[in-house]
Amino acid sequence: MISLHQTRIKTNNCFTILAIESSCDDTACTIIQSDGKILGEEIYSQKEHIRFGGVVPEIAARAHMAHLPPLINNLFEKSKISWNQIDAIAATCGPGLIGGIIVGSSFAKGLALAKNKPFIGINHIEAHALTVRLPHITNKIIPFPYLLLLTSGGHCQCIHVKNIGFYKKLGGTIDDAAGEAFDKVAKMLGLPWPGGPALEKLAKEGNENAFQLPHPLYGRNGCDFSFSGLKTAVANLLGPYQHLSSLPHSFAADIAASFQKAITDTITNRLENAIQMVPDTKYLAAAGGVAANQYLKNHLNKLANQYNMNFISPPIQYCTDNAVMIGWAAIEILQKTLQNDFIPDDIHLMPRPRWPLSDMYDRLKN
Ligand code: AMP
Ligand code: MG
């Protein structure tokens, strides 16, 4: 833990954390206890981007600034928690869209200084990785090590989660994230943004074997991903249709189903390689917005069974970006680093657009 200030408060092994997430287009805050009990949560998924068909970073940062103060007020009002019950304030410090991260982390630091609480800077990816350990997701905390597929609008990676602070990235996307591919293909089909959920719904009406789409990197060594070729193949199929209005519904549904199958087959194949890289691992976890996709989850579950692994994925609201995962990561880190009952303070930790998971080990040593 980067401990730049001497700790200001003492705890009794039970903390209550106020946590803020603002790294993309979700403005979120929560109050969570160290036993995993969520005392309140507020989230605003920014609608400001809908007319652009994708997240506009500058608009996202301004929207976080506008929505965070009322969300925090609602959070305290609804949860009936007072400031003196809060032990520390956590916020995402990276990686992600830097404007939003600056807004959220500066807001949290301002509150920390004003209310005389320690600040804890959280790595967004580490938080996704630890969410599956939230106690109320299953009836026991998932033990380390586990293999995580993190697949969202901005990320697609396989991570070996060995312990708090000990993460190994086994592979990642060399171009688009899976969520980005879902969103772009959905846009080509005239579906509303964010496209993943709409595409999954449309796919239910289609024939998944209607089109043989490419399976980038399928069968190759390693567990890197590539999705941009898949997107281009869909664009080529749509080429003859000049206007989306002329697109037959059944044709669009067949494309959606075939795309969902191709991306799922590819992810499953890459993950099979990842499983073989970490034979000691008994749990396969999936997190990130795309892990909300039931078709993908069914295939991941089958894959896990095939390797005698347990499959686990957080409920949808904790798969997509949320503040509970930031609060829970802070709790896990504090439980690991707490010395003499004192909470250290990251008040000088800088917001950063990139923050490799390999840096997380160092913070445990400091
Ligand atoms: P996140 O980046 O974790 O907030 O998740 C948002 C991303 O997840 C967007 O790219 C969504 O399109 C994608 N997503 C959400 N639900 C689904 C779904 N059911 N199927 C596929 N992608 C989804
Ligand atoms: Mg999001």
Side-chain angles (χ1 to χ4, degrees):
M1 176 66 67
I2 299 165
S3 184
L4 296 168
H5 281 184
Q6 185 47 285
T7 311
R8 301 188 190 117
I9 58 162
K10 206 163 191 243
T11 70
N12 54 359
N13 275 339
C14 177
F15 332 106
T16 302
I17 304 279
L18 165 66
I20 292 174
E21 156 63 24
S22 63
S23 66
C24 190
D25 60 334
D26 295 291
T27 315
C29 53
T30 194
I31 298 175
I32 179 170
Q33 261 176 205
S34 50
D35 59 2
K37 189 169 176 203
I38 299 162
L39 303 179
E41 56 182 311
E42 294 291 318
I43 182 158
Y44 172 71
S45 292
Q46 299 176 0
K47 313 281 179 293
E48 286 82 344
H49 311 282
I50 291 174
R51 68 193 177 102
F52 301 102
V55 180
V56 183
E58 173 67 21
I59 292 175
R62 288 174 189 276
H64 287 303
M65 201 137 67
H67 295 291
L68 207 39
L71 285 176
I72 298 269
N73 284 341
N74 288 347
L75 178 67
F76 276 90
E77 244 167 58
K78 289 190 201 162
S79 63
K80 311 242 180 308
I81 299 290
S82 65
W83 276 104
N84 58 17
Q85 291 169 271
I86 302 290
D87 292 300
I89 301 176
T92 307
C93 274
L97 300 177
I98 191 63
I101 296 169
I102 290 173
V103 170
S105 63
S106 306
F107 192 85
K109 286 178 181 180
L111 287 174
L113 290 170
K115 304 289 181 188
N116 205 27
K117 313 280 180 192
F119 170 78
I120 307 161
I122 296 296
N123 180 306
H124 179 89
I125 305 287
E126 182 176 32
H128 269 305
L130 297 174
T131 316
V132 291
R133 284 168 49 83
L134 248 179
H136 69 269
I137 284 183
T138 57
N139 46 17
K140 67 177 175 105
I141 287 202
I142 303 302
F144 297 112
Y146 52 90
L147 175 63
L148 175 78
L149 169 71
L150 171 60
T151 178
S152 67
H155 308 277
C156 191
Q157 354 186 320
C158 292
I159 302 167
H160 190 208
V161 183
K162 297 181 201 171
N163 207 324
I164 317 283
F166 294 79
Y167 312 101
K168 183 163 187 212
K169 181 174 164 187
L170 303 173
T173 183
I174 56 173
D175 41 53
D176 292 347
E180 211 176 333
F182 266 97
D183 290 341
K184 287 178 180 164
V185 167
K187 192 174 179 181
M188 290 181 214
L189 296 174
L191 299 172
W193 178 86
L199 192 144
E200 180 177 14
K201 195 163 165 235
L202 181 61
K204 290 198 175 95
E205 300 173 45
N207 171 7
E208 64 180 31
N209 297 312
F211 302 104
Q212 294 306 310
L213 294 171
H215 287 50
L217 298 181
Y218 190 102
R220 302 262 195 98
N221 287 340
C223 58
D224 283 337
F225 302 90
S226 164
F227 300 113
S228 70
L230 192 49
K231 221 173 48 190
T232 310
V234 172
N236 290 340
L237 283 176
L238 292 169
Y241 295 90
Q242 299 290 321
H243 300 288
L244 278 175
S245 53
S246 62
L247 201 62
H249 183 81
S250 61
F251 180 71
D254 285 350
I255 290 185
S258 304
F259 167 80
Q260 185 174 252
K261 178 179 189 307
I263 205 163
T264 299
D265 286 351
T266 310
I267 290 176
T268 311
N269 170 261
R270 314 309 295 146
L271 210 47
E272 195 165 358
N273 287 352
I275 290 173
Q276 285 161 6
M277 290 174 183
V278 289
D280 60 332
T281 310
K282 299 277 173 286
Y283 288 88
L284 171 64
V290 181
N293 185 290
Q294 196 55 51
Y295 180 92
L296 173 66
K297 275 203 283 206
N298 293 346
H299 282 78
L300 295 180
N301 200 10
K302 262 190 222 154
L303 179 70
N305 284 340
Q306 216 176 303
Y307 284 88
N308 285 327
M309 294 170 88
N310 297 293
F311 175 67
I312 165 132
S313 182
I316 291 179
Q317 71 268 33
Y318 305 131
C319 270
T320 48
D321 290 343
N322 66 90
V324 167
M325 69 178 193
I326 304 301
W328 178 248
I331 287 161
E332 292 256 47
I333 292 166
L334 286 179
Q335 279 168 341
K336 184 100 180 168
T337 55
L338 208 62
Q339 283 159 2
N340 307 322
D341 279 351
F342 282 96
I343 295 180
D345 196 336
D346 291 341
I347 196 80
H348 293 310
L349 188 67
M350 296 301 283
R352 53 198 75 190
R354 289 174 191 277
W355 197 6
L357 278 180
S358 49
D359 287 3
M360 294 304 110
Y361 173 64
D362 293 335
R363 77 181 299 182
L364 294 178
K365 290 187 303 188
N366 291 333

